[in-house]
């Protein structure tokens, strides 16, 4: 891989444009757009750090002295940009300062064009683009409302009492319907809104939950899964019309609640993971529990096990790449025993992601934080029997693992070290057949620790995020000539 130089960023706000031609960055109160091929700066804006009128009034009433500083935006994080985003066509950019209750709207090809959304006294905790690229979602503080601002008409639609600003809503894959978990009169409800009709209410029905934790909309848009909080292992599936399909709870002892649920890309399965180190696979026809994947601590001979070489970063001085060690024979993993008497016990599924085709399921468990497990799922023509295929072992806990958005057999991981890790099953061996490959790749920069990473939309590059810097890594394309 080829690596770029290090560039400044704040709050880990770096994003490829939808077409992967540009890279958007926020540095405190400045917005920067670079070309992805040359990294030359194309646009830069210094946003106005002044708060919205309502926020300014509230600040004055509380006696804050923030404005007394000659340049508050450069010195105080409260004035920095907290959210950025591209519209779906890369024409518009949003940069929100949540603490100031302001969303700045910019246009890539017209540097002088500017728009601004000021929140009211309800405040602002999050802002993002809707799928149409012309509507901005603004979630207020205290779960009071979500405002949907249209930059085409200059009008807004308000929906009251969203439960969560981060995990309680979804758009259907075609962007037509907006689904929102709400709480009215101390009861969980679900609202379905038509995005093509200015977010007109289509359905509104009660949920069978006592305290909904999150929701997941199927890729086909037919079903919505909602589940209870951490004290009860119970998941409900309904249609968007409110017709209840099933309620799932393991028997005889369900244990603690659900941590995460993820739909298969084709919508044919729903994977449900809790705090008990198990993943239940439900099929979308009978809604029965067709498979249970457990956290393995004993790895049989048939499983491919890759282990990061010891002290390879010191040996290579963080440059170049090195293959994982491939372990032979059965292996035993050491798992942390969770202490349920302590808050936030280390147990359960911490990550569960399907690859783009649904042929592989990535699982990470808190009890074995340095491992990533890849489960093989058969195609529709094969007998249904998911099985553990590959385990990647690291010297440090895995912080993030991301599937390539284009290629089905490409995975990138980071562990907070001066490196990234790549697994692929698309490498052609001497026989001409595809084989597995796992590599440790050093980041050629001093004092840079990869804390997070994200793929470019075309799957050809990666953004690597450090504490206050970032760089990009791109595949080296070898030519035959």
């Amino acid at each position: 891989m080829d690596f770029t130089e290090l560039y400044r960023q704040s709050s880990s706000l770096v994003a490829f444009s939808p077409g992967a031609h540009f890279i958007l960055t926020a540095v405190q109160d400045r917005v920067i757009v670079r070309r992805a091929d040359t990294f030359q700066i194309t646009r830069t804006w210094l946003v106005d750090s002044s708060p919205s009128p309502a926020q300014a009034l509230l600040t004055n009433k509380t006696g804050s002295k923030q404005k007394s500083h000659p340049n508050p935006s450069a010195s105080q994080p409260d004035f920095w940009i907290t959210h950025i985003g591209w519209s779906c066509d890369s024409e518009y950019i949003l940069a929100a300062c949540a603490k100031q209750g302001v969303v700045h709207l910019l246009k890539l090809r017209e540097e002088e064009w500017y728009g601004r959304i000021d929140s009211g006294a309800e405040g602002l905790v999050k802002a993002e683009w809707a799928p149409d690229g012309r509507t901005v979602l603004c979630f207020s503080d205290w779960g009071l409302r979500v405002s949907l601002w249209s930059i085409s008409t200059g009008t807004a639609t308000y929906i009251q009492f969203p439960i969560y600003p981060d995990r309680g809503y979804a758009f259907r894959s075609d962007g037509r319907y907006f689904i929102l978990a709400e709480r009215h009169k101390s009861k969980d409800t679900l609202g379905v809104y038509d995005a093509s009709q200015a977010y007109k209410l289509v359905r509104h029905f009660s949920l069978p939950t006592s305290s909904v934790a999150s929701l997941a909309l199927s890729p086909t848009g037919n079903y919505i899964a909602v589940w209870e909080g951490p004290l009860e292992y119970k998941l409900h599936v309904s249609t968007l019309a409110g017709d209840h399909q099933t309620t799932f709870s393991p028997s005889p002892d369900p244990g603690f609640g659900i941590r995460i649920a993820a739909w298969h890309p084709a919508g044919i399965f729903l994977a449900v993971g809790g705090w008990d180190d198990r993943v239940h696979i439900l099929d979308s026809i009978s809604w029965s529990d067709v498979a249970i994947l457990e956290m393995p601590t004993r790895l049989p001979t048939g499983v491919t096990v890759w282990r990061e070489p010891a002290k390879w970063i010191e040996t290579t001085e963080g440059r170049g790449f090195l293959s994982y060690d491939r372990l032979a024979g059965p292996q035993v993993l050491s798992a942390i025993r969770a202490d349920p008497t302590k808050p936030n016990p280390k147990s359960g599924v911490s990550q569960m992601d399907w690859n783009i085709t649904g042929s592989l399921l990535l699982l990470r468990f808190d009890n074995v934080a340095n491992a990533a497990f890849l489960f093989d799922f058969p195609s529709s023509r094969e007998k249904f029997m998911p099985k553990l295929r590959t385990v990647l072992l690291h010297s440090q806990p895995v912080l993030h693992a991301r599937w390539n958005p284009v290629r089905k057999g490409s995975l990138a991981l980071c562990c907070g070290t001066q490196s990234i890790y790549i697994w692929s099953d698309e490498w052609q061996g001497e026989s001409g057949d595809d084989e597995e490959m796992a590599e440790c790749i050093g980041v050629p920069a001093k004092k840079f620790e990869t804390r997070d990473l994200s793929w470019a939309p075309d799957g050809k590059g990666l953004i690597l995020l450090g504490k206050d810097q970032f760089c990009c890594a791109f595949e080296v394309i070898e030519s035959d000539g």
Side-chain angles (χ1 to χ4, degrees), residues 12 67 73 75 88 100 161 247 255 264 309 336 347 365 386 399 439 446 449 461 470 479:
S12 298
K67 283 192 172 184
S73 61
S75 62
C88 59
Q100 305 307 312
F161 310 131
T247 295
H264 185 276
I336 300 173
S347 68
F365 298 89
L399 298 183
E439 291 183 326
K446 294 182 178 179
E449 297 176 346
F470 81 97
S479 59

Side-chain angles (χ1 to χ4, degrees), residues 132-438:
D132 65 356
R134 296 297 181 269
T135 305
V136 180
L137 279 68
C138 298
F139 286 86
S140 71
D141 211 345
W142 313 113
L144 294 179
R145 69 183 184 184
V146 53
S147 306
L148 302 110
W149 291 88
S150 169
I151 63 174
S152 301
T153 64
T155 59
T157 301
Y158 302 99
I159 304 174
Q160 287 188 311
F161 310 131
I163 298 178
Y164 303 112
D166 53 352
R167 61 184 188 276
Y169 67 97
F171 279 91
R172 203 171 72 173
S173 57
D174 60 0
R176 173 68 186 273
Y177 294 107
F178 175 57
I179 293 89
L180 181 67
E182 307 165 15
R183 183 164 289 133
H184 295 274
K185 297 181 180 179
S186 301
K187 292 184 178 180
D188 294 340
T189 59
L190 198 72
V192 181
Y193 301 86
D194 191 340
S196 67
Q197 299 292 327
Y199 292 88
K200 180 181 178 181
L201 179 64
V202 178
R203 292 281 190 278
H204 204 254
F205 54 90
S206 298
L207 293 173
T209 53
S210 58
S211 178
V212 65
S214 188
L215 59 81
L217 181 63
S218 69
T220 58
N222 296 341
Y223 304 108
I224 182 83
V226 298
W227 54 94
E228 296 281 4
L231 298 180
E232 189 174 7
Y233 201 123
K234 190 174 290 186
L235 177 137
H236 310 276
V237 179
S238 303
T239 66
L240 293 190
D243 298 327
H244 184 262
Q245 299 295 301
T246 189
T247 295
F248 172 72
S249 181
S251 60
D253 180 19
F256 286 115
I258 297 168
R259 290 192 67 176
I260 189 171
W263 288 94
H264 185 276
I268 56 178
F269 300 114
L270 176 61
V272 184
W275 297 87
D276 57 354
D277 302 327
R278 288 185 176 184
V279 173
H280 298 266
I281 307 297
L282 311 182
D283 80 79
S284 61
I285 298 176
S286 66
W287 299 114
S288 59
D289 193 352
V290 294
I292 299 177
L293 310 179
E294 299 197 36
M295 183 188 74
T297 54
R298 296 180 180 273
L299 308 178
T301 306
V303 176
T304 303
V305 182
W306 299 94
R307 184 176 63 190
E308 176 185 1
K311 298 184 178 180
W312 71 273
I313 296 179
E314 292 83 353
T315 304
T316 63
E317 297 182 351
R319 297 180 181 275
F321 60 90
L322 194 68
S323 175
Y324 282 63
D325 295 330
R326 187 163 181 170
L327 306 183
Q331 302 293 324
V332 178
L333 304 181
S334 58
I336 300 173
R337 186 179 295 274
D339 186 354
T341 63
K342 295 183 178 180
N344 302 316
K346 291 291 184 180
S347 68
V349 184
S350 58
Q351 183 180 357
M352 183 166 58
D353 284 320
W354 301 90
N355 68 343
I356 188 173
T357 61
S359 59
L360 290 168
L361 178 64
L362 163 70
L363 294 180
R364 292 197 296 115
F365 298 89
D366 274 344
N367 304 60
V368 192
N370 65 333
F373 301 89
L374 303 181
F375 284 82
D376 210 346
F377 271 71
S379 66
S380 58
R381 298 183 300 273
E382 300 171 315
K383 182 180 179 181
F384 183 76
M385 191 177 293
K387 61 181 180 179
L388 181 62
R389 170 180 174 176
T390 300
V391 179
L392 303 170
L393 302 176
H394 306 83
S395 58
Q396 299 294 324
V398 178
L399 298 183
H400 297 282
R402 315 285 188 195
W403 285 112
N404 189 298
V406 176
R407 292 159 47 188
K408 66 180 180 63
S410 182
L411 178 71
L413 310 93
C414 67
C415 300
T417 58
Q418 189 189 332
S419 60
I420 59 173
Y421 305 90
I422 299 292
W423 174 88
S424 173
D425 65 355
E426 301 171 344
W427 182 69
Q428 281 197 344
E430 295 180 357
S431 62
D433 297 330
D434 289 344
E435 297 180 5
E436 280 194 27
M437 169 185 75

Side-chain angles (χ1 to χ4, degrees), residues 3 6 318-319 418-420 441-446 448 450 464 471:
F3 291 85
L6 296 182
R319 297 180 181 275
Q418 189 189 332
S419 60
I420 59 173
I441 303 174
V443 180
K446 294 182 178 179
F448 182 85
T450 310
L464 312 182
C471 68

